[in-house]
Amino acid sequence: MAGGGIVDSNGGARAHLYEYTITPYFIFACIVGSLGGSLFGYDLGVSGGVTSMDDFLYEFFPRVYRRKQLHLKETDYCKYDNQILTLFTSSLYLAALVSTFGASHVTRNRGRRASIICGSISFFSGAIMNAAAQNIAMLIIGRILLGFGIGFGNQAVPLYLSEMAPAKIRGAINQLFQLTTCLGIFVANFVNYGVERIHPWGWRLSLGLAAVPALFMFVGGIILPETPNSLVEQGRYDEARNVLEKVRGTPKVDAEFQDLIDASNAAKAIKHPFRNLLKRKNRPQLVLGAIGIPAFQQLTGMNSILFYAPVFFQSLGFGSGVSLYSSAITSATLVVATLISMAFVDKFGRRAFFLEAGCELFLCSVAIAITLALKFGEGEKLPKGIGIFLVVVICIFVLAYGRSWGPLGWLVPSELFPLETRSAGQSIVVCVNMLFTALIAQCFLAALCHLKYGIFLLFAGLIFIMTCFIFFLLPETKQVPIEEIHLLWQNHRFWKRFTT
C-alpha cells in the first residue's frame, strides 16, 4: 500500500514523493525498538507497590512501618510521609536527568542503537543490585543505575521510532513506546500483587524481575537496524539507503533519502547543537518540545497515581491486597487508553486529543478533591461506596491521560526538532521530564500530608493552564513528514514572528 506525505501550502517540499509499504522488517524493528518503554513502565509500576509492602518497610523503613500499623484500618493523609522513602523512588529520575546528557552524545555520534544497548546494561545492573540490597545505600545505588538506564532508553527510543516511521503513521508507531511503558506498569502491578504473599523476600523478586525487560532490550539493541537518519548523520550513506529501502519496502526512496542528506548537511554545519537550540529561530521547539510539554506531562498529577497507587489506595483505607489490585485496574485502563490513542491519533490529530482530554482531567481532579474534602476524615474508615467511586474517577482520569499527555508527551517533542538539534533537544526533553518526575515523586507524599485534598485542586489548576498552552501554541503535526515540521512555524499566528 503506497502512500505519500503532506505537502506544505507554501510548496517546495518533497513529501508528496515519499512512498512506503508496511513490511515485516519494519514491524520487527519498531516492536523490538519499543521495548525500551517497558523499562520505564516496569519501574513506574513496581516502585509504588514495593514501598507499600510490609516486609520491605520493616527491613528498611521501620518508622514508616510502625506508623502504617497504627493507621492500618484508618484513612490518614500522612501515613507514608517519609523523605528517605520517597528518595528511593525519586533518586532514579534524578540519575536519569544527569545521564541524558551523556546519552545525547552517544545517540548523536554512535547512533540510537548504542544508547539503547548502554541503557539496557545499566538497567540490568541496577535491578540485580536492588534485588540483593542489604541496606538503604545499596537500594539508592541500584536506583541510580536504573536511572542511568532510563536516561539512555528514553533518549533513544522515541527518536528511533519517529525516524523509522513513515509520516502518515508516525503517531501510532511512536506510541509503541507509551504502549510498552503501560504494559510494563500493568505487569509490574500484577507482579506486586503476586509476590506480596511471599514473605519475607517477595519484594526482592519484584525488584529483581526488572532485569527481564532490560535483557530483552539488550538483545533487541544488538539485532536492530540503525535508523537511516542516524546512518546518514554518521556518513554511512550506502547503509542508510539500504535500511531505508528495507523499512519502506520499496526502492523508490530517492526523495526521502535526499531530504535526509539535506538535513544531515545542515546538521553538520551546527557545531554546538545545545547552543543552537537557544537561537531565536528555534524558540518554538525550545518552549514547546524541550520544556513546556515534558514539564506539563508530569504536572498533570498522573505519575503521582502511577508511583504511589498502592500507597495512595492504602492511605484511603483499602487493604494491602485490595490496594494493589486497584492499582492493577488503573494500569490496565492505561493500556486501553494507549491503544485508543494509537488507533486514532493520526486521524484526529494531536491537538484534539490534548484539548478534549484536558477537560476530562480537570473535571476528574476537581471531583477527587471535592470527594476527599467531604468524605475523607483523618482517623476514620472510608465508606466502601466512596472508595469505589474514587477508583472509578481515577480510572476515568487515567483513561484521559493515557490517550493524551501520556503518549503525546513523548510523541510531539520527538517530532518537533530538526536533525541538527534532535539529539540535543531530546536530551532536554528527557532532562525536563525526569526533573519534574523526580520533584513529583519526592514531594507528592509530603504534599498529600500537608495540602490534603488541596493537592488535587492544585493539579486541576495546572491542567487548566497546560490546556490553554496547547490551544494557543501547538500547531497540528499529524502526517507532516518529520523533516518538514519546521514549515509549520512559518504559518503559525504566534511562532511566525520568530522564524521569519
Side-chain angles (χ1 to χ4, degrees):
M1 124 184 140
I6 300 299
V7 186
D8 185 82
S9 59
N10 288 340
R14 283 186 287 242
H16 62 294
L17 301 174
Y18 291 10
E19 293 188 21
Y20 73 92
T21 59
I22 303 300
T23 65
Y25 187 82
F26 168 74
I27 294 171
F28 169 79
C30 291
I31 291 176
V32 175
S34 68
L35 289 176
S38 64
L39 305 186
F40 192 30
Y42 187 85
D43 184 80
L44 279 172
V46 82
S47 56
V50 167
T51 53
S52 71
M53 293 181 186
D54 287 346
D55 293 328
F56 177 79
L57 293 174
Y58 181 79
E59 184 164 349
F60 294 102
F61 302 96
R63 290 180 60 187
V64 177
Y65 174 79
R66 289 192 294 270
R67 188 192 307 157
K68 175 184 175 181
Q69 298 308 306
L70 289 174
H71 299 279
L72 190 60
K73 296 183 179 180
E74 301 172 349
T75 56
D76 189 342
Y77 285 108
C78 300
K79 191 183 295 186
Y80 290 92
D81 182 23
N82 181 284
Q83 289 300 296
I84 302 300
L85 177 62
T86 52
L87 182 63
F88 168 75
T89 298
S90 64
S91 58
L92 179 146
Y93 303 101
L94 291 171
L97 184 159
V98 174
S99 69
T100 187
F101 293 103
S104 172
H105 177 80
V106 174
T107 301
R108 186 178 191 193
N109 295 286
R110 300 296 180 183
R112 286 46 166 161
R113 290 173 60 245
S115 278
I116 290 173
I117 292 171
C118 289
S120 63
I121 293 172
S122 182
F123 199 90
F124 183 89
S125 303
I128 298 303
M129 178 164 285
N130 268 180
Q134 299 299 313
N135 51 54
I136 292 177
M138 287 185 70
L139 279 178
I140 299 302
I141 292 172
R143 296 292 289 175
I144 290 172
L145 288 172
L146 291 172
F148 288 159
I150 285 180
F152 275 83
N154 287 13
Q155 157 76 218
V157 173
L159 287 185
Y160 186 90
L161 295 174
S162 287
E163 291 178 348
M164 279 293 195
K168 292 190 73 172
I169 58 171
R170 187 176 61 244
I173 296 302
N174 185 275
Q175 288 190 41
L176 285 171
F177 176 74
Q178 178 69 9
L179 179 62
T180 56
T181 299
C182 297
L183 289 172
I185 296 169
F186 183 68
V187 170
N189 277 301
F190 274 100
V191 168
N192 285 338
Y193 183 72
V195 305
E196 193 215 3
R197 296 171 175 81
I198 304 176
H199 304 288
W201 52 271
W203 63 269
R204 294 186 184 276
L205 180 60
S206 192
L207 293 177
L209 285 174
V212 175
L215 183 62
F216 285 141
M217 184 174 167
F218 176 77
V219 174
I222 292 175
I223 62 178
L224 282 175
E226 185 57 87
T227 70
N229 309 62
S230 180
L231 291 170
V232 168
E233 201 171 17
Q234 297 172 54
R236 297 155 62 183
Y237 296 109
D238 291 339
E239 291 180 63
R241 173 83 187 214
N242 184 49
V243 171
L244 187 61
E245 289 180 0
K246 283 186 176 182
V247 296
R248 297 294 180 258
T250 175
K252 299 177 181 179
V253 295
D254 293 337
E256 186 171 3
F257 188 62
Q258 188 58 50
D259 277 348
L260 295 182
I261 293 175
D262 291 346
S264 176
N265 291 335
K268 288 177 181 178
I270 305 299
K271 302 301 181 184
H272 304 285
F274 283 99
R275 190 183 304 168
N276 183 264
L277 194 56
L278 298 176
K279 290 185 176 180
R280 179 181 174 86
K281 68 175 183 177
N282 292 322
R283 199 65 48 81
Q285 296 95 315
L286 179 66
V287 173
L288 279 168
I291 299 175
I293 291 176
F296 282 136
Q297 185 191 46
Q298 304 311 313
L299 294 176
T300 58
M302 179 61 199
N303 272 1
S304 301
I305 295 173
L306 293 180
F307 288 146
Y308 299 117
V311 170
F312 180 63
F313 286 125
Q314 282 196 30
S315 294
L316 295 180
F318 291 77
S320 178
V322 177
S323 69
L324 288 171
Y325 186 66
S326 299
S327 62
I329 292 174
T330 61
S331 62
T333 304
L334 194 58
V335 173
V336 173
T338 304
L339 292 173
I340 293 172
S341 186
M342 289 178 66
F344 296 108
V345 72
D346 287 312
K347 179 178 180 181
F348 297 115
R350 286 60 160 153
R351 280 173 54 86
F353 273 79
F354 270 130
L355 298 176
E356 181 272 331
C359 297
E360 287 187 48
L361 293 171
F362 176 82
L363 293 174
C364 287
S365 296
V366 172
I368 293 172
I370 292 174
T371 303
L372 295 181
L374 295 176
K375 296 293 184 180
F376 187 28
E378 294 184 31
E380 299 177 7
K381 188 174 181 179
L382 194 69
K384 183 178 179 180
I386 299 301
I388 294 173
F389 173 76
L390 285 174
V391 171
V392 171
V393 173
I394 287 172
C395 284
I396 295 173
F397 182 98
V398 170
L399 191 65
Y401 173 90
R403 65 179 188 274
S404 60
W405 282 96
L408 301 185
W410 293 105
L411 165 62
V412 174
S414 73
E415 295 178 321
L416 296 184
F417 299 102
L419 185 61
E420 62 265 25
T421 60
R422 193 168 296 157
S423 60
Q426 186 67 12
S427 284
I428 298 178
V429 169
V430 177
C431 177
V432 171
N433 188 290
M434 292 301 142
L435 173 62
F436 280 85
T437 303
L439 289 173
I440 292 293
Q442 189 66 33
C443 298
F444 176 72
L445 292 179
L448 183 65
C449 178
H450 293 91
L451 296 179
K452 299 181 171 57
Y453 63 85
I455 185 68
F456 293 98
L457 292 177
L458 175 62
F459 285 137
L462 291 170
I463 290 167
F464 177 79
I465 292 171
M466 65 184 71
T467 302
C468 293
F469 176 85
I470 293 296
F471 180 79
F472 289 109
L473 297 181
L474 181 68
E476 183 53 67
T477 59
K478 71 170 182 178
Q479 300 186 5
V480 180
I482 196 169
E483 303 304 340
E484 296 181 7
I485 294 289
H486 67 279
L487 299 174
L488 296 176
W489 313 121
Q490 298 173 9
N491 296 320
H492 192 273
R493 61 181 179 274
F494 179 80
W495 295 118
K496 64 182 179 181
R497 72 188 71 177
F498 295 95
T499 57
T500 55

